[in-house]
Amino acid sequence: RFAATGRYGSVTALDYSSAMLRQGDDFAVKELGANYGVSSPTSTALTLVRADIARLPFATSSLDGVHAGAAIHCWPAPENGVAEVARVLKPGGVFVLTTFRPGGNLLTGLRFWTEEELRDLTRQCGLVDFEAIKRDPSFIMVRCRKRAA
C-alpha cells in the first residue's frame, strides 16, 4: 500500500520467509500490476527482499522510515531486530510497528508485548518520542524515531 500512494522515493518489502514474499508478490501484482517493480506517475516501484531482521541489507542511516507490521512477535531476538532498525534509520527517521499485547483470544506460542516493554526496548536501542495506540482486545501500534543529529 505504501507503493500505491506514489509518495515515496522507493519502497522495499522485506521478510525472512519466502512464502510471505510470494504472498507479497501476489498482492503486489493484484494491487499494482505485473510491473510493480517499475515506478509510474501514480505509484512507487516496489522491491521484495528476503533478509533477516537482525542483519538488514541497508547502509547505516539510509532509510527515512521502517514499518514492521505484525512482525516483532515472530522475531527470534527482538532486541537485535530493533537495534538493526535503529542502525538503518536516518537521524529523525521513523519506526512504526504493530504487534499483540496480552489479552483477547489470540493464538498461543506468540510473544505478547506490553506498552512498557516496547517502550523500554525501543529506548534501549536509542529510539525516542515513543507513542502507542492500543485497541481492544490486544492490538498495539507504536511510533518512535531515531534522534535527530
Side-chain angles (χ1 to χ4, degrees), residues 7 23 25 32 47 80 85 107 118 121 137:
R7 293 174 37 199
Q23 273 190 309
D25 177 68
L32 302 171
T47 304
N80 294 345
V85 168
L107 299 172
L118 292 167
L121 176 59

Side-chain angles (χ1 to χ4, degrees), residues 88-99:
V88 302
L89 282 173
K90 291 178 182 176
V94 176
F95 178 38
V96 175
L97 70 89
T98 58
T99 191

Side-chain angles (χ1 to χ4, degrees), residues 3 10-14 21 36-37 44-49:
S10 65
V11 175
T12 301
L14 181 141
L21 289 171
Y36 66 79
T44 302
L46 172 65
T47 304
L48 303 179
V49 175

Side-chain angles (χ1 to χ4, degrees), residues 57-77:
F58 306 108
T60 298
S61 298
S62 63
L63 302 179
D64 292 310
V66 173
H67 174 251
I72 193 172
H73 53 270
C74 299
W75 298 349

